[in-house]
Coordinates of all heavy atoms in Angstrom, one line a residue:
I1 N 73.0 -25.8 8.5 CA 73.0 -24.4 8.0 C 71.7 -23.7 8.2 O 71.7 -22.5 8.6 CB 73.3 -24.4 6.5 CG1 74.8 -24.9 6.3 CG2 73.1 -23.1 5.9 CD1 75.2 -25.1 4.9
Y2 N 70.6 -24.4 8.0 CA 69.3 -23.7 8.1 C 68.5 -23.9 9.4 O 67.9 -22.9 9.9 CB 68.3 -24.2 6.9 CG 68.7 -23.6 5.6 CD1 69.6 -24.4 4.7 CD2 68.4 -22.3 5.2 CE1 70.0 -23.8 3.5 CE2 68.9 -21.8 4.0 CZ 69.6 -22.5 3.2 OH 70.0 -22.0 2.0
E3 N 68.6 -25.0 10.1 CA 67.8 -25.2 11.3 C 68.6 -24.7 12.5 O 68.1 -24.2 13.5 CB 67.4 -26.6 11.5 CG 66.5 -27.2 10.4 CD 66.1 -28.7 10.7 OE1 66.2 -29.1 11.8 OE2 65.6 -29.2 9.7
I4 N 69.9 -24.9 12.5 CA 70.8 -24.4 13.6 C 71.4 -23.1 13.2 O 71.3 -22.1 14.1 CB 71.9 -25.4 13.9 CG1 71.2 -26.8 14.4 CG2 72.8 -24.9 15.0 CD1 72.2 -27.9 14.6
G5 N 71.9 -22.9 12.1 CA 72.6 -21.7 11.7 C 71.8 -20.5 11.3 O 72.2 -19.4 11.0
G6 N 70.5 -20.8 11.1 CA 69.5 -19.7 10.8 C 69.5 -19.3 9.3 O 68.8 -18.4 8.9
G7 N 70.3 -20.0 8.5 CA 70.2 -19.8 7.0 C 71.2 -18.6 6.7 O 72.0 -18.2 7.4
I8 N 71.1 -18.3 5.3 CA 71.9 -17.3 4.7 C 71.4 -15.9 5.0 O 70.2 -15.6 4.7 CB 72.1 -17.6 3.2 CG1 72.4 -19.1 3.0 CG2 73.3 -16.7 2.7 CD1 73.6 -19.6 3.7
P9 N 72.2 -14.9 5.3 CA 71.6 -13.5 5.6 C 71.2 -12.9 4.3 O 71.6 -13.3 3.2 CB 72.9 -12.8 6.1 CG 73.8 -13.8 6.5 CD 73.6 -15.1 5.7
N10 N 70.3 -11.9 4.5 CA 69.8 -11.1 3.4 C 69.1 -11.8 2.2 O 69.1 -11.4 1.1 CB 71.0 -10.2 2.8 CG 71.6 -9.4 3.9 OD1 71.0 -8.8 4.8 ND2 73.0 -9.5 3.9
G11 N 68.5 -13.0 2.5 CA 67.8 -13.7 1.5 C 68.6 -14.3 0.4 O 68.1 -14.7 -0.6
K12 N 70.0 -14.3 0.6 CA 70.9 -14.9 -0.5 C 70.8 -16.4 -0.6 O 70.3 -17.1 0.3 CB 72.3 -14.4 -0.2 CG 72.5 -13.0 -0.1 CD 72.5 -12.3 -1.5 CE 73.0 -10.9 -1.4 NZ 73.0 -10.2 -2.8
K13 N 71.2 -16.9 -1.7 CA 71.2 -18.3 -1.9 C 72.5 -19.0 -1.4 O 73.6 -18.4 -1.5 CB 71.0 -18.7 -3.4 CG 69.7 -18.3 -3.9 CD 69.6 -18.6 -5.5 CE 68.2 -18.3 -6.0 NZ 68.2 -18.5 -7.5
F14 N 72.4 -20.1 -0.9 CA 73.5 -20.9 -0.4 C 74.3 -21.4 -1.7 O 73.7 -21.9 -2.5 CB 73.0 -22.1 0.4 CG 74.2 -23.1 0.7 CD1 75.2 -22.8 1.5 CD2 74.1 -24.4 0.2 CE1 76.2 -23.7 1.9 CE2 75.1 -25.3 0.4 CZ 76.1 -25.0 1.2
K15 N 75.6 -21.2 -1.6 CA 76.4 -21.7 -2.8 C 77.3 -22.9 -2.4 O 77.3 -23.9 -3.1 CB 77.3 -20.6 -3.3 CG 78.3 -21.1 -4.4 CD 79.1 -20.0 -5.1 CE 78.3 -19.2 -6.1 NZ 79.1 -18.2 -6.8
A16 N 78.0 -22.8 -1.3 CA 78.9 -23.9 -0.9 C 79.3 -23.8 0.6 O 79.1 -22.7 1.2 CB 80.1 -24.0 -1.8
A17 N 79.8 -24.9 1.1 CA 80.3 -24.9 2.5 C 81.7 -25.5 2.4 O 81.9 -26.6 1.8 CB 79.5 -25.6 3.5
Q18 N 82.7 -24.8 2.9 CA 84.1 -25.4 2.9 C 84.3 -26.1 4.3 O 84.1 -25.5 5.3 CB 85.1 -24.2 2.7 CG 86.4 -24.7 2.1 CD 87.4 -25.2 3.2 OE1 87.3 -25.0 4.4 NE2 88.3 -26.0 2.8
T19 N 84.7 -27.3 4.2 CA 85.1 -28.1 5.4 C 86.4 -28.7 5.3 O 87.0 -28.9 4.1 CB 84.1 -29.2 5.7 OG1 84.2 -30.2 4.6 CG2 82.6 -28.7 5.8
G20 N 87.1 -29.0 6.4 CA 88.3 -29.8 6.3 C 89.5 -28.9 6.1 O 90.7 -29.5 6.0
G21 N 89.4 -27.6 6.2 CA 90.6 -26.7 6.0 C 91.3 -26.9 4.7 O 90.6 -27.4 3.7
P22 N 92.6 -26.7 4.6 CA 93.3 -26.8 3.3 C 93.2 -28.2 2.7 O 93.4 -28.3 1.5 CB 94.7 -26.4 3.6 CG 94.6 -25.6 4.9 CD 93.4 -26.2 5.6
S23 N 93.1 -29.2 3.5 CA 93.0 -30.6 3.0 C 91.6 -31.0 2.6 O 91.4 -32.1 2.0 CB 93.5 -31.6 4.1 OG 94.8 -31.2 4.6
G24 N 90.5 -30.2 2.8 CA 89.2 -30.5 2.6 C 88.8 -30.0 1.2 O 89.5 -30.0 0.2
G25 N 87.5 -29.7 1.1 CA 87.0 -29.2 -0.1 C 85.7 -28.4 0.1 O 85.2 -28.2 1.2
C26 N 85.1 -27.9 -1.0 CA 83.9 -27.1 -0.9 C 82.7 -28.0 -1.3 O 82.7 -28.6 -2.5 CB 84.0 -25.9 -1.8 SG 85.3 -24.7 -1.3
I27 N 81.7 -28.1 -0.5 CA 80.5 -28.9 -0.8 C 79.5 -28.0 -1.4 O 79.0 -27.0 -0.8 CB 79.9 -29.4 0.6 CG1 81.0 -30.2 1.3 CG2 78.7 -30.3 0.3 CD1 80.7 -30.6 2.7
P28 N 79.1 -28.2 -2.7 CA 78.1 -27.3 -3.4 C 76.7 -27.5 -2.9 O 76.4 -28.5 -2.2 CB 78.3 -27.8 -4.8 CG 78.6 -29.3 -4.7 CD 79.5 -29.4 -3.5
A29 N 75.8 -26.6 -3.3 CA 74.5 -26.6 -2.9 C 73.8 -27.9 -3.4 O 72.8 -28.4 -2.7 CB 73.8 -25.4 -3.5
S30 N 74.2 -28.5 -4.4 CA 73.5 -29.7 -4.9 C 73.7 -30.9 -3.9 O 73.0 -31.8 -4.0 CB 74.1 -30.1 -6.3 OG 75.5 -30.3 -6.2
L31 N 74.7 -30.8 -3.0 CA 75.0 -31.8 -2.1 C 74.6 -31.4 -0.6 O 75.2 -31.9 0.3 CB 76.4 -32.2 -2.2 CG 76.9 -32.8 -3.5 CD1 78.4 -33.1 -3.5 CD2 76.1 -34.1 -3.8
I32 N 73.7 -30.5 -0.5 CA 73.4 -29.9 0.8 C 72.7 -30.9 1.7 O 72.7 -30.8 2.9 CB 72.6 -28.7 0.7 CG1 72.5 -27.9 2.0 CG2 71.1 -29.0 0.2 CD1 71.9 -26.5 1.9
D33 N 72.2 -32.0 1.2 CA 71.6 -33.1 2.0 C 72.5 -34.2 2.4 O 72.1 -35.2 3.0 CB 70.3 -33.6 1.3 CG 69.2 -32.6 1.3 OD1 68.8 -32.0 2.4 OD2 68.6 -32.3 0.2

């Protein structure tokens, strides 16, 4: 997210990333590592 994707626009905080489509889940900021 940060080194390749350049981070979140407009200085906003990262909340979650959704992976795996409908079968997956949302990974919260607490698990960003």
Side-chain angles (χ1 to χ4, degrees):
I1 292 173
Y2 286 98
E3 294 182 19
I4 297 175
I8 314 300
N10 305 315
K12 299 285 187 177
K13 293 180 181 179
F14 168 70
K15 177 176 278 188
Q18 203 277 339
T19 65
S23 303
C26 293
I27 304 170
S30 60
L31 297 175
I32 194 171
D33 289 308

